[in-house]
Amino acid sequence: MAYKAKHVDVGKKNRRRISRKAIAFCAAFVLAVSGAVGGVAAWLTAGDDPVTNTFEPAEVSCEVRETFDEDTGVKTDVRVANTSNIPVYIRVRLVGNQTGPDGAILAGGSFQPPVTQGSHWMRIGDYYYYTVPVAAKTGDDTPETGNLIDSVTLSAGQVLEVLAEAIQSEPDRAVEEAWGVTVDDATGVITGEAMAN
């Protein structure tokens, strides 16, 4: 009797082992990824109550306040109100012109009105600066500068424009850089024109 050896296919047996290992690895990988995604989703959706943003952006504005009697041509109590929600420095430029009967500005008809220049006002170049910051508007309270002009009488055809500007008072360098003035660090008072570098 001849010996008949049992033939074993080694390649087939190894293929089965590899595919079982691959399946087990893939299953473990899918479970791990699912757990990670679920955990991240749970972490992102869990949390405290929403937080309300209470930041209020700064708003800088001002308004010229004055009384003008058209019958007499008298302008009184010329001042500027801070309508901003932050403290500001204020400056004013006065433009006086003579107009003709048609209302057109006459050449060479400009004039400089008399200025009372009350407390805290300082002239630097073409502008009058209110040297201390004017407090922010709160509710119905709108802080104002003192009078720049107490009273001025305009002749027939004269027009006086009061052009006001405001700038944030903090930091000091904002007004120094924008307007070319110096501010005393200790008091916050505009002291004069900035020195040229």
Side-chain angles (χ1 to χ4, degrees):
M1 160 170 169
Y3 174 74
K4 191 170 182 185
K6 188 174 176 187
H7 179 68
V8 176
D9 186 355
V10 177
K12 191 174 179 183
K13 192 175 183 183
N14 285 341
R15 276 194 298 259
R16 244 187 257 136
R17 259 194 224 146
I18 292 173
S19 22
R20 284 185 189 153
K21 286 181 184 178
I23 291 171
F25 176 76
C26 288
F29 179 75
V30 168
L31 283 173
V33 169
S34 299
V37 169
V40 169
W43 180 75
L44 288 174
T45 57
D48 296 332
D49 293 335
V51 177
T52 304
N53 185 357
T54 57
F55 174 76
E56 184 177 342
E59 176 186 306
V60 177
S61 59
C62 63
E63 177 182 278
V64 174
R65 303 248 171 112
E66 62 186 10
T67 305
F68 182 63
D69 185 336
E70 291 185 27
D71 296 331
T72 62
V74 177
K75 189 177 280 223
T76 57
D77 300 325
V78 177
R79 63 209 184 280
V80 182
N82 178 11
T83 55
S84 310
N85 60 2
I86 59 171
V88 298
Y89 287 106
I90 291 175
R91 72 177 179 177
V92 171
R93 184 169 184 190
L94 300 174
V95 180
N97 289 300
Q98 184 69 42
T99 60
D102 61 352
I105 295 172
L106 300 176
S110 64
F111 71 94
Q112 183 63 39
V115 175
T116 310
Q117 201 169 323
S119 179
H120 300 298
W121 284 102
M122 173 190 287
R123 184 168 185 180
I124 303 172
D126 293 333
Y127 290 92
Y128 293 90
Y129 292 82
Y130 199 66
T131 58
V132 294
V134 180
K137 177 180 179 176
T138 55
D140 293 334
D141 180 34
T142 307
E144 301 176 342
T145 65
N147 285 354
L148 175 60
I149 300 173
D150 286 335
S151 179
V152 62
T153 302
L154 302 175
S155 303
Q158 283 187 328
V159 176
L160 176 60
E161 291 183 84
V162 181
L163 308 173
E165 297 176 49
I167 191 169
Q168 68 190 46
S169 63
E170 293 178 6
D172 292 348
R173 73 177 189 284
V175 69
E176 290 175 333
E177 291 173 5
W179 288 354
V181 296
T182 54
V183 177
D184 183 286
D185 290 335
T187 63
V189 173
I190 294 174
T191 57
E193 195 168 3
M195 301 292 287
N197 289 338

